[in-house]
Amino acid sequence: MSYRRLAASAAILAAGISFLPGTAQAADPAAGGAQGLTTPDLVPADAVNKTKFSSPAAESTLQTPTAPKSSLGSPQPTAPTAGAMAAEAAAADFQVGVDAYTVSAHGILIDTWVENLATSASVTVAWGDGATTNASYDGSGQPVTSEHTYAELGTYTVKVTVTDSGTGTAVTNEVQITTEGSDYTPYGPTRLLDTRNGTGAPKAKIAKYTSAKVKIAGNGGIPAGVTAVVLNVTVTNTTSGGHVTAYADGDERPTTSNVNFAPGQTVPNLVIVPVGANGYVNLYNGGWESVDLIADVTGYFTQSASSGYTPLAPERFVDTRNGTGTAQGQVAGYGSFNVQIAGKGKVPASGVKAVALNVTVTNPKSDGHLTVYPSGQSAPTASNVNFTAGQTIANSVIVPVGPDGKIVVRNGGWNPADVIVDVVGYYSPASQGAYLPFQPERLLDTRDAVNWGEGPLGGRDYIPLPLSPGEPGITGFVLNSTVTNTRDNGFLAVSPDPNTFDDYMNETATRPAAPTSSTLNWTVGKTVPNLVQASTGANGIVDFWNQSDGDTDLIVDVFGMYQDN
């Protein structure tokens, strides 16, 4: 472990750079075991969008006191005193402007600007959710700052009242704000795009270096104003190698990738992608030849209260090889089985709307696919994992949970296959984790001799990425992990690290137990990607384990985070 380099970068972390990957050295590592660290120039607080809402001082309103009523109920005219006339004259120039800013998923900061008032005043902010805060204005002309965290996402009308301490004259202004975070609504699974038959696009392959434009907002029951969408993207009928990049229409195409493929492969991968202002996303074919693309939607995010996310350390719910969670033995061709989700492990017994999974197929006796869907429904035409005979392959899945708290896994192959299901989190109205998308950015590439320089990740070794130490409000990250130049069969495991950043700094960190869950599986020489919904645990550090005996190169891209404050 290169603690000197880790310590040198701690000062950068303290200065605000929170994405600070470090590594741990395995005991007796294979040649090429990674060590050292890289420092991506990305700060979570700066990576997310910040929205400003304003109401100028000219929009403020003088609150005029009501005249007293007579015994007959009618206001009685009174002659204004000289003091009252002076106060009214002063109030004619007394105005209040309001600037509001999103500062987190649920948080708002307001600057109250008091104009033409040189005396002290009280400032009351009614946040629109029943909460109020009070502050003081000192007559200096400097803004008064107030902050608030909403329990529920949504749009609120905030009312600011400034009351002159000397005369009692009050001026108000209002501003409408919308919290920055987005909650999740399950949907489908429903096929939005299939270039093989003309669903959602012309019936034709997507040419090299061009994009399929997929309509999201307003498509079926998906509303306008959707901020991000969960798609299972599958590339098929490939004749060359390449990759697919998903991004919001109208944005610059990022350099990251979501799906990597080789000639002849059919490869799926889950993506959580921002939706453009026009309601579309783009799926870019970065391969040398044309390909067919399929996109199935399983849910979407909006800036209104729905279901938040609670990440969990990966937990195995099903393994047909040993009878965990279902009957022991392979799932028959075209057979299916139910999986109890609600009330199992750390998933609550009620209120769960959707579950985040990693689903693996192994030992399949023929080509086929797996479809995961809520219980109580018919099997959709969408697929989640595509496989060939003998292949072991995993894919991330986000699926609605049926009314009975169960989901169904169906083997769409002709012959039996083993299935493994790991739960990594769940969505529910009680969960506070709201999604904040980033402009995609590469955090780690062990092939990069300039920014990494330590070579591939060694067999049975792990790399801890300190993504958000010291930021307990960040509960998880949406990442894409890719392995390439694989030198042995194996799998990647991703889990929160029990050590603190100080433990690594002080050389007191203990080697975590290697997790048994798998995020992606590979065979020698293959390049395999998979989405990771990674829990940051208690310490903001996420471990990436190479569970094979050979070296592999690891690439990690970040797409967004979950925040509960």
Side-chain angles (χ1 to χ4, degrees):
M1 162 64 70
S2 178
Y3 287 103
R4 180 181 60 81
R5 292 187 62 193
L6 187 60
S9 295
I12 300 176
L13 177 67
I17 294 181
S18 299
F19 287 92
L20 186 62
T23 73
Q25 180 73 31
D28 300 320
Q35 54 182 303
L37 77 158
T38 184
T39 310
D41 58 346
L42 183 63
V43 184
D46 293 341
V48 298
N49 185 48
K50 298 292 190 300
T51 305
K52 179 180 179 180
F53 309 90
S54 294
S55 182
E59 299 295 324
S60 58
T61 303
L62 174 65
Q63 300 297 106
T64 304
T66 303
K69 295 184 177 181
S70 70
S71 59
L72 299 178
S74 300
Q76 298 300 300
T78 56
T81 65
M85 289 189 292
E88 186 175 350
D93 292 328
F94 171 21
Q95 294 182 317
V96 175
V98 180
D99 289 329
Y101 306 86
T102 58
V103 293
S104 63
H106 293 257
I108 295 290
L109 178 149
I110 282 185
D111 282 338
T112 299
W113 298 87
V114 183
E115 298 183 1
N116 302 318
L117 184 64
T119 58
S120 64
S122 63
V123 179
T124 300
V125 181
W127 294 96
D129 61 349
T132 60
T133 56
N134 297 295
S136 298
Y137 171 68
D138 60 7
S140 66
Q142 295 300 307
V144 177
T145 300
S146 307
E147 292 191 62
H148 182 60
T149 300
Y150 289 93
E152 296 288 350
L153 302 180
T155 299
Y156 298 90
T157 299
V158 180
K159 182 177 181 179
V160 179
T161 302
V162 177
T163 304
D164 184 346
S165 301
T167 66
T169 302
V171 174
T172 65
N173 202 343
E174 294 183 352
V175 62
Q176 190 175 77
I177 62 92
T178 299
T179 49
E180 196 65 53
S182 293
D183 270 359
Y184 181 74
T185 299
Y187 186 89
T190 303
R191 183 146 293 175
L192 299 185
L193 174 73
D194 191 338
T195 60
R196 300 172 303 176
N197 59 22
T199 299
K203 182 180 177 181
K205 282 187 168 185
I206 304 302
K208 63 178 182 179
Y209 312 136
T210 62
S211 297
K213 193 172 178 179
V214 185
K215 179 177 175 61
I216 304 297
N219 193 339
I222 302 175
V226 60
T227 56
V229 64
V230 179
L231 298 173
N232 198 63
V233 177
T234 303
V235 59
T236 190
N237 297 325
T238 58
T239 55
S240 72
H243 66 273
V244 175
T245 298
Y247 63 103
D249 191 49
D251 286 357
E252 182 179 352
R253 176 169 51 85
T255 57
T256 53
S257 61
N258 298 93
V259 186
N260 297 74
F261 56 88
Q265 278 191 317
T266 294
V267 183
N269 199 18
L270 195 72
V271 304
I272 300 178
V273 58
V275 177
N278 62 356
Y280 285 81
V281 300
N282 291 325
L283 302 179
Y284 173 79
N285 173 19
W288 301 301
E289 303 289 344
S290 60
V291 298
D292 277 312
L293 292 177
I294 305 163
D296 300 317
V297 61
T298 63
Y300 57 85
F301 292 87
T302 56
Q303 289 176 289
S304 55
S306 185
S307 292
Y309 183 62
T310 298
L312 300 172
E315 182 177 357
R316 183 143 294 173
F317 272 38
V318 171
D319 190 337
T320 62
R321 299 171 301 177
N322 57 25
T324 299
T326 191
Q328 184 175 359
Q330 291 194 312
V331 183
Y334 305 122
S336 62
F337 63 92
N338 289 348
V339 182
Q340 182 66 44
I341 298 297
K344 187 175 179 180
K346 294 185 178 180
V347 180
S350 61
V352 177
K353 301 300 183 182
V355 63
L357 312 169
N358 206 67
V359 179
T360 304
V361 62
T362 189
N363 305 317
K365 306 305 182 186
S366 67
D367 295 357
H369 66 272
L370 297 181
T371 298
V372 186
Y373 58 98
S375 63
Q377 297 184 14
S378 299
T381 57
S383 61
N384 298 98
V385 185
N386 297 72
F387 53 85
T388 57
Q391 186 180 26
T392 297
I393 188 170
N395 197 25
S396 290
V397 176
I398 300 175
V399 60
V401 175
D404 58 357
K406 298 178 180 180
I407 62 172
V408 181
V409 180
R410 180 178 184 271
N411 175 13
W414 303 298
N415 290 304
D418 279 309
V419 177
I420 302 165
V421 178
D422 297 319
V423 172
V424 301
Y426 62 87
Y427 295 87
S428 75
S431 300
Q432 291 297 303
Y435 184 58
L436 293 162
F438 296 158
Q439 178 68 19
E441 181 164 332
R442 182 143 293 172
L443 297 183
L444 173 68
D445 188 341
T446 61
R447 304 168 302 175
D448 185 347
V450 175
N451 293 309
W452 178 252
E454 305 296 336
L457 174 58
R460 310 301 169 182
D461 199 358
Y462 77 104
I463 299 177
L465 301 185
L467 299 181
S468 57
E471 300 187 52
I474 299 174
T475 59
F477 286 88
V478 174
L479 309 166
N480 204 68
S481 57
T482 303
V483 294
T484 191
N485 301 321
T486 51
R487 294 163 177 82
D488 189 18
N489 299 340
F491 66 92
L492 184 76
V494 181
S495 62
D497 194 309
N499 297 290
T500 67
F501 185 74
D502 285 343
D503 289 335
Y504 282 104
M505 289 291 298
N506 298 330
E507 303 188 30
T508 58
T510 58
R511 182 179 173 86
T516 57
S517 59
S518 61
T519 297
L520 60 85
N521 300 70
W522 68 81
T523 53
V524 175
K526 297 296 185 182
T527 296
V528 183
N530 202 8
L531 183 87
V532 184
Q533 298 230 82
S535 168
T536 56
N539 301 312
I541 302 174
V542 179
D543 294 339
F544 291 76
W545 288 81
N546 173 8
Q547 295 291 58
S548 77
D549 291 325
D551 296 351
T552 186
D553 278 309
L554 174 65
I555 303 158
V556 180
D557 299 322
V558 63
F559 295 92
M561 71 181 185
Y562 291 98
Q563 189 175 37
D564 63 11
N565 60 8

